[in-house]
Amino acid sequence: ELTSHRISYWASKTEQEGGGSGSTPRGEFEVCEIDDVGVHGRQVLIHFASSQRSGRRNRGRVALSLCTNSELEAGQWAEAVRSAAAARLLRVVPSGWNVSVMLSGNNGPVRRVVKAELSDELVQVIQHVVDHAFICKRTRDRRGQEVPVRLQVQKVVSVQNVAAWMNYSEARTRIRGAGSATPTSAYMA
């Protein structure tokens, strides 16, 4: 069963519909922790960013494997899970992030990360910043060697990393809630 917040699972459809103690799900996973959804034949493999406690023994799990009746159904389930996870992530990450690519199952070993090359216009803007910040200076370790006169920006890449953003957001919230003292007022005191 998939809701906007959780995926609940049972060992089988009959266990889910059986009522009594069998109607209680075997386990539940948080949708916001999904970091990869893949399809292999009739199986839907869902990986999580952190270990989820579920099942009868409350063991830590990092993946959930769902079996479907057909490959078509597996694709539909995977898309539903990706959509639910994307909807949850879009609430917490900056606008413009490509969450659907993060959850596509094609990112390799690093999940919930997208590296997007930015436009030539932004390369020129960053080149301007580098030109005005670069200082051509000779240091002791470069005696007798040429010193670069200018640095040239080749490309600019936007790294959209959900884990890093979440850590940043939590730290920002913690700092805001730490008290009314701002860094400048604390420095002046």
Side-chain angles (χ1 to χ4, degrees):
E1 180 177 66
L2 175 64
T3 67
S4 63
H5 292 79
R6 284 187 189 83
I7 296 176
S8 302
Y9 70 94
W10 291 261
S12 67
K13 187 85 169 158
T14 51
E15 182 181 295
Q16 179 183 4
E17 295 169 349
S21 62
S23 65
T24 303
R26 260 263 170 117
E28 295 181 331
F29 292 96
E30 296 295 322
V31 168
C32 63
E33 287 293 321
I34 293 172
D35 71 347
D36 188 26
V37 180
V39 176
H40 299 286
R42 296 181 331 157
Q43 267 191 321
V44 179
L45 299 171
I46 304 168
H47 292 269
F48 298 90
S50 60
S51 183
Q52 302 287 303
R53 296 273 168 206
S54 72
R56 289 184 191 149
R57 296 184 193 130
N58 201 26
R59 289 184 300 178
R61 300 172 194 267
V62 293
L64 178 64
S65 177
L66 307 173
C67 295
T68 65
N69 294 324
S70 68
E71 290 183 18
L72 176 65
E73 189 177 37
Q76 292 169 341
W77 283 19
E79 190 53 40
V81 170
R82 281 187 199 111
S83 295
R88 291 290 292 166
L89 284 176
L90 284 171
R91 294 180 188 159
V92 295
V93 298
S95 63
W97 278 29
N98 199 341
V99 173
S100 60
V101 171
M102 289 177 193
L103 300 170
S104 68
N106 299 324
N107 292 331
V110 177
R111 297 180 177 120
R112 295 197 320 174
V113 174
V114 170
K115 294 180 181 179
E117 200 167 315
L118 300 180
S119 70
D120 289 338
E121 292 171 4
L122 283 172
V123 170
Q124 295 306 315
V125 170
I126 299 301
Q127 181 67 60
H128 182 74
V129 170
V130 169
D131 287 343
H132 289 292
F134 180 73
I135 299 172
C136 178
K137 187 170 186 167
R138 187 173 302 278
T139 57
R140 278 188 262 168
D141 62 331
R142 293 189 178 199
R143 284 189 188 150
Q145 296 179 6
E146 283 189 41
V147 177
V149 179
R150 179 177 190 252
L151 299 176
Q152 185 174 1
V153 176
Q154 297 294 314
K155 66 180 177 179
V156 178
V157 177
S158 168
V159 178
Q160 302 169 3
N161 183 325
V162 173
W165 180 260
M166 298 298 271
N167 289 338
Y168 164 74
S169 294
E170 289 170 12
R172 185 178 61 186
T173 302
R174 204 171 40 252
I175 290 168
R176 281 184 182 163
S180 60
T182 61
T184 53
S185 65
Y187 179 76
M188 298 296 220

PDB file of all heavy atoms in Angstrom, residues 79-117:
ATOM      1  N   GLU A  79       6.771   3.499 -11.215  1.00  0.00           N
ATOM      2  CA  GLU A  79       6.443   4.895 -11.528  1.00  0.00           C
ATOM      3  C   GLU A  79       5.612   5.529 -10.413  1.00  0.00           C
ATOM      4  O   GLU A  79       5.816   6.692 -10.064  1.00  0.00           O
ATOM      5  CB  GLU A  79       5.702   4.978 -12.869  1.00  0.00           C
ATOM      6  CG  GLU A  79       5.531   6.394 -13.373  1.00  0.00           C
ATOM      7  CD  GLU A  79       6.841   7.168 -13.443  1.00  0.00           C
ATOM      8  OE1 GLU A  79       7.876   6.602 -13.843  1.00  0.00           O
ATOM      9  OE2 GLU A  79       6.836   8.364 -13.065  1.00  0.00           O
ATOM     10  N   ALA A  80       4.691   4.766  -9.828  1.00  0.00           N
ATOM     11  CA  ALA A  80       3.883   5.287  -8.715  1.00  0.00           C
ATOM     12  C   ALA A  80       4.761   5.597  -7.505  1.00  0.00           C
ATOM     13  O   ALA A  80       4.600   6.636  -6.852  1.00  0.00           O
ATOM     14  CB  ALA A  80       2.795   4.285  -8.345  1.00  0.00           C
ATOM     15  N   VAL A  81       5.716   4.719  -7.215  1.00  0.00           N
ATOM     16  CA  VAL A  81       6.619   4.935  -6.078  1.00  0.00           C
ATOM     17  C   VAL A  81       7.509   6.141  -6.340  1.00  0.00           C
ATOM     18  O   VAL A  81       7.711   6.987  -5.472  1.00  0.00           O
ATOM     19  CB  VAL A  81       7.458   3.664  -5.786  1.00  0.00           C
ATOM     20  CG1 VAL A  81       8.547   3.947  -4.777  1.00  0.00           C
ATOM     21  CG2 VAL A  81       6.560   2.535  -5.298  1.00  0.00           C
ATOM     22  N   ARG A  82       8.060   6.245  -7.559  1.00  0.00           N
ATOM     23  CA  ARG A  82       8.890   7.406  -7.918  1.00  0.00           C
ATOM     24  C   ARG A  82       8.107   8.705  -7.782  1.00  0.00           C
ATOM     25  O   ARG A  82       8.620   9.701  -7.272  1.00  0.00           O
ATOM     26  CB  ARG A  82       9.404   7.276  -9.353  1.00  0.00           C
ATOM     27  CG  ARG A  82      10.558   6.360  -9.514  1.00  0.00           C
ATOM     28  CD  ARG A  82      11.116   6.432 -10.944  1.00  0.00           C
ATOM     29  NE  ARG A  82      11.907   5.257 -11.196  1.00  0.00           N
ATOM     30  CZ  ARG A  82      11.566   4.282 -12.038  1.00  0.00           C
ATOM     31  NH1 ARG A  82      10.458   4.343 -12.733  1.00  0.00           N
ATOM     32  NH2 ARG A  82      12.361   3.241 -12.185  1.00  0.00           N
ATOM     33  N   SER A  83       6.863   8.700  -8.247  1.00  0.00           N
ATOM     34  CA  SER A  83       6.032   9.908  -8.169  1.00  0.00           C
ATOM     35  C   SER A  83       5.783  10.316  -6.725  1.00  0.00           C
ATOM     36  O   SER A  83       5.857  11.496  -6.384  1.00  0.00           O
ATOM     37  CB  SER A  83       4.696   9.685  -8.885  1.00  0.00           C
ATOM     38  OG  SER A  83       4.909   9.491 -10.256  1.00  0.00           O
ATOM     39  N   ALA A  84       5.483   9.344  -5.871  1.00  0.00           N
ATOM     40  CA  ALA A  84       5.245   9.649  -4.454  1.00  0.00           C
ATOM     41  C   ALA A  84       6.512  10.185  -3.800  1.00  0.00           C
ATOM     42  O   ALA A  84       6.476  11.166  -3.044  1.00  0.00           O
ATOM     43  CB  ALA A  84       4.758   8.401  -3.718  1.00  0.00           C
ATOM     44  N   ALA A  85       7.663   9.553  -4.089  1.00  0.00           N
ATOM     45  CA  ALA A  85       8.929  10.008  -3.510  1.00  0.00           C
ATOM     46  C   ALA A  85       9.292  11.395  -4.029  1.00  0.00           C
ATOM     47  O   ALA A  85       9.747  12.259  -3.270  1.00  0.00           O
ATOM     48  CB  ALA A  85      10.037   9.014  -3.823  1.00  0.00           C
ATOM     49  N   ALA A  86       9.086  11.630  -5.319  1.00  0.00           N
ATOM     50  CA  ALA A  86       9.391  12.940  -5.903  1.00  0.00           C
ATOM     51  C   ALA A  86       8.520  14.022  -5.283  1.00  0.00           C
ATOM     52  O   ALA A  86       9.007  15.120  -4.967  1.00  0.00           O
ATOM     53  CB  ALA A  86       9.201  12.899  -7.417  1.00  0.00           C
ATOM     54  N   ALA A  87       7.244  13.730  -5.083  1.00  0.00           N
ATOM     55  CA  ALA A  87       6.337  14.714  -4.473  1.00  0.00           C
ATOM     56  C   ALA A  87       6.802  15.084  -3.072  1.00  0.00           C
ATOM     57  O   ALA A  87       6.769  16.261  -2.681  1.00  0.00           O
ATOM     58  CB  ALA A  87       4.915  14.166  -4.446  1.00  0.00           C
ATOM     59  N   ARG A  88       7.267  14.096  -2.297  1.00  0.00           N
ATOM     60  CA  ARG A  88       7.769  14.377  -0.937  1.00  0.00           C
ATOM     61  C   ARG A  88       9.068  15.176  -0.991  1.00  0.00           C
ATOM     62  O   ARG A  88       9.256  16.115  -0.228  1.00  0.00           O
ATOM     63  CB  ARG A  88       8.004  13.080  -0.168  1.00  0.00           C
ATOM     64  CG  ARG A  88       6.754  12.322   0.197  1.00  0.00           C
ATOM     65  CD  ARG A  88       5.939  12.999   1.254  1.00  0.00           C
ATOM     66  NE  ARG A  88       6.657  12.970   2.525  1.00  0.00           N
ATOM     67  CZ  ARG A  88       6.333  13.707   3.564  1.00  0.00           C
ATOM     68  NH1 ARG A  88       5.325  14.534   3.494  1.00  0.00           N
ATOM     69  NH2 ARG A  88       7.015  13.630   4.674  1.00  0.00           N
ATOM     70  N   LEU A  89       9.988  14.779  -1.878  1.00  0.00           N
ATOM     71  CA  LEU A  89      11.274  15.475  -1.965  1.00  0.00           C
ATOM     72  C   LEU A  89      11.119  16.908  -2.465  1.00  0.00           C
ATOM     73  O   LEU A  89      11.832  17.802  -2.022  1.00  0.00           O
ATOM     74  CB  LEU A  89      12.238  14.711  -2.874  1.00  0.00           C
ATOM     75  CG  LEU A  89      12.871  13.474  -2.273  1.00  0.00           C
ATOM     76  CD1 LEU A  89      13.719  12.752  -3.311  1.00  0.00           C
ATOM     77  CD2 LEU A  89      13.720  13.819  -1.064  1.00  0.00           C
ATOM     78  N   LEU A  90      10.189  17.126  -3.392  1.00  0.00           N
ATOM     79  CA  LEU A  90       9.996  18.474  -3.941  1.00  0.00           C
ATOM     80  C   LEU A  90       9.574  19.478  -2.873  1.00  0.00           C
ATOM     81  O   LEU A  90       9.759  20.675  -3.047  1.00  0.00           O
ATOM     82  CB  LEU A  90       8.982  18.449  -5.084  1.00  0.00           C
ATOM     83  CG  LEU A  90       9.527  17.890  -6.394  1.00  0.00           C
ATOM     84  CD1 LEU A  90       8.398  17.702  -7.401  1.00  0.00           C
ATOM     85  CD2 LEU A  90      10.624  18.767  -6.962  1.00  0.00           C
ATOM     86  N   ARG A  91       9.037  18.986  -1.769  1.00  0.00           N
ATOM     87  CA  ARG A  91       8.640  19.878  -0.673  1.00  0.00           C
ATOM     88  C   ARG A  91       9.834  20.394   0.113  1.00  0.00           C
ATOM     89  O   ARG A  91       9.723  21.397   0.808  1.00  0.00           O
ATOM     90  CB  ARG A  91       7.697  19.163   0.283  1.00  0.00           C
ATOM     91  CG  ARG A  91       6.376  18.823  -0.341  1.00  0.00           C
ATOM     92  CD  ARG A  91       5.487  18.118   0.653  1.00  0.00           C
ATOM     93  NE  ARG A  91       4.310  17.633  -0.020  1.00  0.00           N
ATOM     94  CZ  ARG A  91       3.550  16.675   0.441  1.00  0.00           C
ATOM     95  NH1 ARG A  91       3.821  16.109   1.594  1.00  0.00           N
ATOM     96  NH2 ARG A  91       2.503  16.281  -0.223  1.00  0.00           N
ATOM     97  N   VAL A  92      10.971  19.694   0.050  1.00  0.00           N
ATOM     98  CA  VAL A  92      12.107  20.060   0.897  1.00  0.00           C
ATOM     99  C   VAL A  92      13.351  20.522   0.141  1.00  0.00           C
ATOM    100  O   VAL A  92      14.241  21.092   0.753  1.00  0.00           O
ATOM    101  CB  VAL A  92      12.496  18.894   1.847  1.00  0.00           C
ATOM    102  CG1 VAL A  92      11.392  18.601   2.828  1.00  0.00           C
ATOM    103  CG2 VAL A  92      12.887  17.658   1.075  1.00  0.00           C
ATOM    104  N   VAL A  93      13.438  20.277  -1.164  1.00  0.00           N
ATOM    105  CA  VAL A  93      14.614  20.700  -1.920  1.00  0.00           C
ATOM    106  C   VAL A  93      14.305  21.986  -2.681  1.00  0.00           C
ATOM    107  O   VAL A  93      13.140  22.327  -2.886  1.00  0.00           O
ATOM    108  CB  VAL A  93      15.104  19.597  -2.888  1.00  0.00           C
ATOM    109  CG1 VAL A  93      15.518  18.350  -2.127  1.00  0.00           C
ATOM    110  CG2 VAL A  93      14.072  19.271  -3.940  1.00  0.00           C
ATOM    111  N   PRO A  94      15.327  22.714  -3.102  1.00  0.00           N
ATOM    112  CA  PRO A  94      15.095  23.961  -3.844  1.00  0.00           C
ATOM    113  C   PRO A  94      14.328  23.718  -5.143  1.00  0.00           C
ATOM    114  O   PRO A  94      14.459  22.656  -5.768  1.00  0.00           O
ATOM    115  CB  PRO A  94      16.513  24.462  -4.151  1.00  0.00           C
ATOM    116  CG  PRO A  94      17.380  23.809  -3.146  1.00  0.00           C
ATOM    117  CD  PRO A  94      16.754  22.477  -2.850  1.00  0.00           C
ATOM    118  N   SER A  95      13.549  24.702  -5.544  1.00  0.00           N
ATOM    119  CA  SER A  95      12.810  24.572  -6.803  1.00  0.00           C
ATOM    120  C   SER A  95      13.811  24.480  -7.950  1.00  0.00           C
ATOM    121  O   SER A  95      14.884  25.057  -7.908  1.00  0.00           O
ATOM    122  CB  SER A  95      11.872  25.768  -6.997  1.00  0.00           C
ATOM    123  OG  SER A  95      12.629  26.951  -7.106  1.00  0.00           O
ATOM    124  N   GLY A  96      13.455  23.734  -8.955  1.00  0.00           N
ATOM    125  CA  GLY A  96      14.328  23.567 -10.100  1.00  0.00           C
ATOM    126  C   GLY A  96      15.197  22.314 -10.042  1.00  0.00           C
ATOM    127  O   GLY A  96      15.836  21.970 -11.030  1.00  0.00           O
ATOM    128  N   TRP A  97      15.237  21.648  -8.900  1.00  0.00           N
ATOM    129  CA  TRP A  97      16.017  20.419  -8.811  1.00  0.00           C
ATOM    130  C   TRP A  97      15.308  19.320  -9.585  1.00  0.00           C
ATOM    131  O   TRP A  97      14.080  19.216  -9.561  1.00  0.00           O
ATOM    132  CB  TRP A  97      16.193  20.006  -7.360  1.00  0.00           C
ATOM    133  CG  TRP A  97      17.309  20.718  -6.671  1.00  0.00           C
ATOM    134  CD1 TRP A  97      17.775  21.968  -6.941  1.00  0.00           C
ATOM    135  CD2 TRP A  97      18.089  20.223  -5.601  1.00  0.00           C
ATOM    136  NE1 TRP A  97      18.802  22.274  -6.094  1.00  0.00           N
ATOM    137  CE2 TRP A  97      19.015  21.222  -5.250  1.00  0.00           C
ATOM    138  CE3 TRP A  97      18.096  19.041  -4.888  1.00  0.00           C
ATOM    139  CZ2 TRP A  97      19.939  21.066  -4.243  1.00  0.00           C
ATOM    140  CZ3 TRP A  97      19.012  18.888  -3.870  1.00  0.00           C
ATOM    141  CH2 TRP A  97      19.938  19.894  -3.554  1.00  0.00           C
ATOM    142  N   ASN A  98      16.071  18.467 -10.242  1.00  0.00           N
ATOM    143  CA  ASN A  98      15.515  17.408 -11.067  1.00  0.00           C
ATOM    144  C   ASN A  98      15.376  16.117 -10.256  1.00  0.00           C
ATOM    145  O   ASN A  98      16.184  15.196 -10.371  1.00  0.00           O
ATOM    146  CB  ASN A  98      16.393  17.186 -12.300  1.00  0.00           C
ATOM    147  CG  ASN A  98      15.660  16.451 -13.384  1.00  0.00           C
ATOM    148  OD1 ASN A  98      14.652  15.796 -13.136  1.00  0.00           O
ATOM    149  ND2 ASN A  98      16.162  16.550 -14.588  1.00  0.00           N
ATOM    150  N   VAL A  99      14.344  16.065  -9.441  1.00  0.00           N
ATOM    151  CA  VAL A  99      14.118  14.938  -8.537  1.00  0.00           C
ATOM    152  C   VAL A  99      13.787  13.665  -9.308  1.00  0.00           C
ATOM    153  O   VAL A  99      14.199  12.579  -8.922  1.00  0.00           O
ATOM    154  CB  VAL A  99      13.005  15.290  -7.522  1.00  0.00           C
ATOM    155  CG1 VAL A  99      12.619  14.092  -6.692  1.00  0.00           C
ATOM    156  CG2 VAL A  99      13.461  16.430  -6.631  1.00  0.00           C
ATOM    157  N   SER A 100      13.093  13.784 -10.432  1.00  0.00           N
ATOM    158  CA  SER A 100      12.730  12.582 -11.192  1.00  0.00           C
ATOM    159  C   SER A 100      13.966  11.857 -11.719  1.00  0.00           C
ATOM    160  O   SER A 100      14.003  10.633 -11.745  1.00  0.00           O
ATOM    161  CB  SER A 100      11.778  12.929 -12.333  1.00  0.00           C
ATOM    162  OG  SER A 100      12.390  13.843 -13.222  1.00  0.00           O
ATOM    163  N   VAL A 101      15.011  12.589 -12.112  1.00  0.00           N
ATOM    164  CA  VAL A 101      16.251  11.949 -12.561  1.00  0.00           C
ATOM    165  C   VAL A 101      16.956  11.280 -11.389  1.00  0.00           C
ATOM    166  O   VAL A 101      17.527  10.203 -11.520  1.00  0.00           O
ATOM    167  CB  VAL A 101      17.182  12.974 -13.254  1.00  0.00           C
ATOM    168  CG1 VAL A 101      18.554  12.384 -13.520  1.00  0.00           C
ATOM    169  CG2 VAL A 101      16.562  13.453 -14.548  1.00  0.00           C
ATOM    170  N   MET A 102      16.888  11.906 -10.200  1.00  0.00           N
ATOM    171  CA  MET A 102      17.513  11.319  -9.012  1.00  0.00           C
ATOM    172  C   MET A 102      16.927   9.952  -8.695  1.00  0.00           C
ATOM    173  O   MET A 102      17.626   9.065  -8.221  1.00  0.00           O
ATOM    174  CB  MET A 102      17.299  12.220  -7.789  1.00  0.00           C
ATOM    175  CG  MET A 102      18.061  13.480  -7.814  1.00  0.00           C
ATOM    176  SD  MET A 102      17.631  14.435  -6.349  1.00  0.00           S
ATOM    177  CE  MET A 102      18.319  16.010  -6.797  1.00  0.00           C
ATOM    178  N   LEU A 103      15.652   9.778  -8.946  1.00  0.00           N
ATOM    179  CA  LEU A 103      14.949   8.551  -8.585  1.00  0.00           C
ATOM    180  C   LEU A 103      14.785   7.589  -9.760  1.00  0.00           C
ATOM    181  O   LEU A 103      14.057   6.616  -9.650  1.00  0.00           O
ATOM    182  CB  LEU A 103      13.573   8.889  -8.017  1.00  0.00           C
ATOM    183  CG  LEU A 103      13.582   9.755  -6.759  1.00  0.00           C
ATOM    184  CD1 LEU A 103      12.177  10.232  -6.435  1.00  0.00           C
ATOM    185  CD2 LEU A 103      14.184   9.001  -5.600  1.00  0.00           C
ATOM    186  N   SER A 104      15.461   7.851 -10.873  1.00  0.00           N
ATOM    187  CA  SER A 104      15.245   7.051 -12.077  1.00  0.00           C
ATOM    188  C   SER A 104      15.897   5.683 -12.046  1.00  0.00           C
ATOM    189  O   SER A 104      15.600   4.836 -12.866  1.00  0.00           O
ATOM    190  CB  SER A 104      15.742   7.809 -13.304  1.00  0.00           C
ATOM    191  OG  SER A 104      17.151   7.914 -13.261  1.00  0.00           O
ATOM    192  N   GLY A 105      16.830   5.455 -11.138  1.00  0.00           N
ATOM    193  CA  GLY A 105      17.512   4.169 -11.092  1.00  0.00           C
ATOM    194  C   GLY A 105      18.705   4.108 -12.023  1.00  0.00           C
ATOM    195  O   GLY A 105      19.289   3.060 -12.222  1.00  0.00           O
ATOM    196  N   ASN A 106      19.092   5.243 -12.619  1.00  0.00           N
ATOM    197  CA  ASN A 106      20.208   5.260 -13.570  1.00  0.00           C
ATOM    198  C   ASN A 106      21.395   6.068 -13.064  1.00  0.00           C
ATOM    199  O   ASN A 106      22.252   6.443 -13.837  1.00  0.00           O
ATOM    200  CB  ASN A 106      19.740   5.865 -14.901  1.00  0.00           C
ATOM    201  CG  ASN A 106      18.626   5.064 -15.521  1.00  0.00           C
ATOM    202  OD1 ASN A 106      18.602   3.856 -15.422  1.00  0.00           O
ATOM    203  ND2 ASN A 106      17.691   5.744 -16.146  1.00  0.00           N
ATOM    204  N   ASN A 107      21.435   6.360 -11.784  1.00  0.00           N
ATOM    205  CA  ASN A 107      22.477   7.244 -11.263  1.00  0.00           C
ATOM    206  C   ASN A 107      23.727   6.522 -10.792  1.00  0.00           C
ATOM    207  O   ASN A 107      24.650   7.142 -10.308  1.00  0.00           O
ATOM    208  CB  ASN A 107      21.921   8.075 -10.091  1.00  0.00           C
ATOM    209  CG  ASN A 107      20.892   9.064 -10.564  1.00  0.00           C
ATOM    210  OD1 ASN A 107      20.947   9.522 -11.691  1.00  0.00           O
ATOM    211  ND2 ASN A 107      19.947   9.378  -9.714  1.00  0.00           N
ATOM    212  N   GLY A 108      23.799   5.214 -10.891  1.00  0.00           N
ATOM    213  CA  GLY A 108      24.974   4.495 -10.420  1.00  0.00           C
ATOM    214  C   GLY A 108      25.003   4.421  -8.912  1.00  0.00           C
ATOM    215  O   GLY A 108      23.970   4.487  -8.251  1.00  0.00           O
ATOM    216  N   PRO A 109      26.190   4.309  -8.318  1.00  0.00           N
ATOM    217  CA  PRO A 109      26.291   4.094  -6.881  1.00  0.00           C
ATOM    218  C   PRO A 109      25.892   5.290  -6.021  1.00  0.00           C
ATOM    219  O   PRO A 109      25.541   5.133  -4.881  1.00  0.00           O
ATOM    220  CB  PRO A 109      27.762   3.737  -6.670  1.00  0.00           C
ATOM    221  CG  PRO A 109      28.458   4.311  -7.846  1.00  0.00           C
ATOM    222  CD  PRO A 109      27.477   4.294  -8.977  1.00  0.00           C
ATOM    223  N   VAL A 110      25.963   6.501  -6.558  1.00  0.00           N
ATOM    224  CA  VAL A 110      25.588   7.680  -5.778  1.00  0.00           C
ATOM    225  C   VAL A 110      24.129   7.985  -6.077  1.00  0.00           C
ATOM    226  O   VAL A 110      23.762   8.240  -7.215  1.00  0.00           O
ATOM    227  CB  VAL A 110      26.477   8.895  -6.129  1.00  0.00           C
ATOM    228  CG1 VAL A 110      26.032  10.110  -5.371  1.00  0.00           C
ATOM    229  CG2 VAL A 110      27.918   8.587  -5.848  1.00  0.00           C
ATOM    230  N   ARG A 111      23.300   7.942  -5.061  1.00  0.00           N
ATOM    231  CA  ARG A 111      21.868   8.129  -5.265  1.00  0.00           C
ATOM    232  C   ARG A 111      21.418   9.467  -4.716  1.00  0.00           C
ATOM    233  O   ARG A 111      22.064  10.052  -3.873  1.00  0.00           O
ATOM    234  CB  ARG A 111      21.111   6.997  -4.593  1.00  0.00           C
ATOM    235  CG  ARG A 111      21.452   5.667  -5.205  1.00  0.00           C
ATOM    236  CD  ARG A 111      20.683   4.568  -4.524  1.00  0.00           C
ATOM    237  NE  ARG A 111      20.969   3.319  -5.159  1.00  0.00           N
ATOM    238  CZ  ARG A 111      21.506   2.287  -4.534  1.00  0.00           C
ATOM    239  NH1 ARG A 111      21.792   2.352  -3.265  1.00  0.00           N
ATOM    240  NH2 ARG A 111      21.733   1.172  -5.182  1.00  0.00           N
ATOM    241  N   ARG A 112      20.284   9.913  -5.192  1.00  0.00           N
ATOM    242  CA  ARG A 112      19.686  11.195  -4.832  1.00  0.00           C
ATOM    243  C   ARG A 112      20.664  12.340  -5.077  1.00  0.00           C
ATOM    244  O   ARG A 112      20.726  13.305  -4.337  1.00  0.00           O
ATOM    245  CB  ARG A 112      19.175  11.189  -3.390  1.00  0.00           C
ATOM    246  CG  ARG A 112      18.043  10.205  -3.227  1.00  0.00           C
ATOM    247  CD  ARG A 112      17.199  10.351  -2.030  1.00  0.00           C
ATOM    248  NE  ARG A 112      17.838  10.684  -0.790  1.00  0.00           N
ATOM    249  CZ  ARG A 112      17.161  10.943   0.317  1.00  0.00           C
ATOM    250  NH1 ARG A 112      15.863  10.905   0.314  1.00  0.00           N
ATOM    251  NH2 ARG A 112      17.776  11.234   1.430  1.00  0.00           N
ATOM    252  N   VAL A 113      21.433  12.202  -6.155  1.00  0.00           N
ATOM    253  CA  VAL A 113      22.375  13.229  -6.581  1.00  0.00           C
ATOM    254  C   VAL A 113      22.262  13.374  -8.091  1.00  0.00           C
ATOM    255  O   VAL A 113      22.234  12.381  -8.809  1.00  0.00           O
ATOM    256  CB  VAL A 113      23.832  12.862  -6.223  1.00  0.00           C
ATOM    257  CG1 VAL A 113      24.807  13.871  -6.790  1.00  0.00           C
ATOM    258  CG2 VAL A 113      23.994  12.741  -4.724  1.00  0.00           C
ATOM    259  N   VAL A 114      22.196  14.621  -8.558  1.00  0.00           N
ATOM    260  CA  VAL A 114      22.211  14.899  -9.986  1.00  0.00           C
ATOM    261  C   VAL A 114      23.276  15.951 -10.235  1.00  0.00           C
ATOM    262  O   VAL A 114      23.358  16.943  -9.509  1.00  0.00           O
ATOM    263  CB  VAL A 114      20.841  15.420 -10.484  1.00  0.00           C
ATOM    264  CG1 VAL A 114      20.930  15.923 -11.909  1.00  0.00           C
ATOM    265  CG2 VAL A 114      19.783  14.345 -10.381  1.00  0.00           C
ATOM    266  N   LYS A 115      24.104  15.716 -11.242  1.00  0.00           N
ATOM    267  CA  LYS A 115      25.098  16.701 -11.657  1.00  0.00           C
ATOM    268  C   LYS A 115      24.669  17.211 -13.022  1.00  0.00           C
ATOM    269  O   LYS A 115      24.653  16.463 -13.989  1.00  0.00           O
ATOM    270  CB  LYS A 115      26.483  16.075 -11.730  1.00  0.00           C
ATOM    271  CG  LYS A 115      26.997  15.641 -10.380  1.00  0.00           C
ATOM    272  CD  LYS A 115      28.370  15.017 -10.471  1.00  0.00           C
ATOM    273  CE  LYS A 115      28.834  14.562  -9.098  1.00  0.00           C
ATOM    274  NZ  LYS A 115      30.148  13.931  -9.158  1.00  0.00           N
ATOM    275  N   ALA A 116      24.314  18.496 -13.064  1.00  0.00           N
ATOM    276  CA  ALA A 116      23.811  19.103 -14.297  1.00  0.00           C
ATOM    277  C   ALA A 116      24.769  20.193 -14.764  1.00  0.00           C
ATOM    278  O   ALA A 116      25.081  21.111 -14.005  1.00  0.00           O
ATOM    279  CB  ALA A 116      22.421  19.688 -14.061  1.00  0.00           C
ATOM    280  N   GLU A 117      25.230  20.062 -16.010  1.00  0.00           N
ATOM    281  CA  GLU A 117      26.105  21.073 -16.581  1.00  0.00           C
ATOM    282  C   GLU A 117      25.266  22.309 -16.903  1.00  0.00           C
ATOM    283  O   GLU A 117      24.193  22.208 -17.493  1.00  0.00           O
ATOM    284  CB  GLU A 117      26.773  20.526 -17.842  1.00  0.00           C
ATOM    285  CG  GLU A 117      28.011  21.287 -18.219  1.00  0.00           C
ATOM    286  CD  GLU A 117      28.846  20.569 -19.272  1.00  0.00           C
ATOM    287  OE1 GLU A 117      29.048  19.354 -19.140  1.00  0.00           O
ATOM    288  OE2 GLU A 117      29.265  21.257 -20.214  1.00  0.00           O
TER     289      GLU A 117
END
